[in-house]
Amino acid sequence: MRNKIICLLFFAGLIIAFIGACQPNLSIETAQYAVNGQKLYLAHCQNCHGSKGEGLGQLYPALTDTSFLTKQRSSLACIVKNGLEGPIEIHGKIFDGSMPGIPQLTSVEIAYILTYVTTTFGNSTETYTQEEVQKSLESCKK
C-alpha cells in the first residue's frame, strides 16, 4: 500500500511539474496525456526529431513549427501511424525525405505523442483525444 501511495505522489508531482514547465493553462487531462506522450516520444521520435523537437539539419524537420502543427492537425495522426513520403515545408525549409510510420502504436498512444509534441514544442493547450485520432486515421490515405 505504501508503494502505491509513493507511486501516486510521484506521478502527481510529474504532472504538476509538466504543467508548470510547459503551458501554465493546461488541463490536468492534457498534462497527463503529455506526460505519457513524452515517454513514447523519447522511445519512437527523439532519435530523428531531437529531444527538444529541433530536428536534425536538413535531414529531419523540427517539430516546433506552430503554424504547421495547427494547419495540419487533422493529418498528424496519419503521419505518425503511416509515415510520410515526399516534400514537406517546415519553418520555410523543404524536406524531401521519407519518414517511416509507427503502425504498432494504438490510437491513444498517438494521442499521447501528439499532445506532447503540440503542447511542448508548439503553442497548443488542447488534448489530442483518442476519438480525434481515430477519426483522423479513418480518413487518411494508406
Side-chain angles (χ1 to χ4, degrees), residues 14-107:
L14 278 178
I15 290 168
I16 291 168
F18 185 84
I19 291 172
C22 295
Q23 298 277 353
N25 50 351
L26 291 182
S27 71
I28 294 295
E29 178 188 47
T30 302
Q32 289 172 331
Y33 267 57
V35 167
N36 290 330
Q38 180 181 28
K39 296 174 203 169
L40 291 163
Y41 178 87
L42 294 174
H44 297 285
C45 313
Q46 177 180 312
N47 284 343
C48 296
H49 294 289
S51 62
K52 297 177 184 169
E54 71 275 15
L56 184 59
Q58 287 296 119
L59 292 175
Y60 304 111
L63 301 178
T64 57
D65 188 336
T66 302
S67 175
F68 178 83
L69 294 174
T70 302
K71 289 178 187 173
Q72 298 298 321
R73 183 175 175 96
S74 64
S75 63
L76 295 177
C78 294
I79 294 171
V80 172
K81 183 87 169 180
N82 302 318
L84 182 68
E85 294 287 332
I88 186 170
E89 184 175 340
I90 305 289
H91 287 302
K93 294 180 185 176
I94 303 293
F95 294 86
D96 193 9
S98 128
M99 180 186 129
I102 313 167
Q104 71 271 22
L105 290 177
T106 65
S107 294

Side-chain angles (χ1 to χ4, degrees), residues 126-138:
E126 296 179 31
T127 303
Y128 261 90
T129 65
Q130 181 177 357
E131 294 77 22
E132 181 180 4
V133 169
Q134 287 171 336
K135 184 178 177 185
S136 178
L137 292 175
E138 289 169 6

